[in-house]
Amino acid sequence: MKFEYRYLSEERAAEIDAMGIITPNGQKLRINYARCITNEDESIVFQIIFIAVPHPNDDLIDIDQYLLFYKGYQYTLKIKNTWSKKKENEEYKYHTKWIIESEIEEKEDCLSEEVLSVLIDILCELSRHRSKKIIEGTVEIIYKGKRVK
């Protein structure tokens, strides 16, 4: 399946906005048109809904929250992302590590393995988007302690 990091259509954003989704900080979710990963028909939408702010004097791990719409279902996912790059021989190499902390809930017609597979493709696309100017790189995805890519 092909995903793009792009603007979401106003119509699809209005549909999601009409759902009245509340973010972890208690405010109504506002769709940021430019910060979505979606497929061609916008039936799958992935967007950050809460950015954890790192605290320099705190040892807690900060985890961002994302919203995934897939097959008419809504999943709220806690995901930690680390990104690093280093320059070797005048070229940059990057490494992105995604740790999915949330359990992906089974649905009647949608297995968690299917959702995880879509999520892996989405996270790889997001990693590619963030590293456009970097020549080579790796993406590591861990789901609840198990390496998946």
Side-chain angles (χ1 to χ4, degrees):
M1 192 171 297
K2 186 174 185 233
F3 294 100
E4 296 177 275
Y5 188 89
R6 63 174 171 86
Y7 283 86
L8 193 62
S9 72
E10 290 184 26
E11 296 82 18
R12 182 64 170 133
E15 287 174 8
I16 294 171
D17 192 45
M19 294 176 185
I21 298 165
I22 304 299
T23 64
N25 60 1
Q27 296 178 345
K28 185 177 178 205
L29 173 68
R30 296 270 182 235
I31 294 298
N32 181 339
Y33 298 113
R35 296 197 55 147
C36 291
I37 296 258
T38 189
N39 59 340
E40 188 175 316
D41 68 0
E42 298 184 338
S43 61
I44 300 171
V45 177
F46 183 75
Q47 180 184 22
I48 193 162
I49 59 172
F50 181 77
I51 300 172
V53 179
H55 304 283
N57 300 327
D58 195 348
D59 291 337
L60 294 175
I61 296 172
D62 292 312
I63 299 173
D64 298 331
Q65 291 191 20
Y66 294 83
L67 191 61
L68 171 65
F69 291 96
Y70 178 68
K71 281 194 167 180
Y73 297 110
Q74 169 188 323
Y75 299 88
T76 302
L77 303 164
K78 293 179 181 181
I79 303 175
K80 181 174 190 253
N81 172 31
T82 57
W83 188 85
S84 62
K85 69 178 180 179
K86 45 183 200 176
K87 195 171 187 176
E88 292 179 15
N89 301 324
E90 300 302 317
E91 293 182 342
Y92 285 104
K93 295 188 178 191
Y94 73 94
H95 177 76
T96 305
K97 183 176 182 179
W98 300 93
I99 301 174
I100 304 163
E101 299 285 343
S102 300
E103 182 79 31
I104 296 175
E105 185 182 341
E106 293 278 332
K107 306 290 185 182
E108 185 176 316
D109 61 343
C110 190
L111 299 176
S112 61
E113 291 86 11
E114 180 182 353
V115 177
L116 182 59
S117 176
V118 168
L119 185 56
I120 289 168
D121 290 344
I122 289 170
L123 294 176
C124 287
E125 176 60 32
L126 187 53
S127 295
R128 276 190 295 277
H129 172 77
R130 288 183 175 173
S131 59
K132 284 180 181 177
K133 296 180 182 176
I134 299 172
I135 306 301
E136 292 182 29
T138 58
V139 177
E140 179 181 8
I141 300 172
I142 298 171
Y143 174 56
K144 296 192 60 72
K146 295 181 182 175
R147 197 171 307 249
V148 292
K149 186 159 182 131

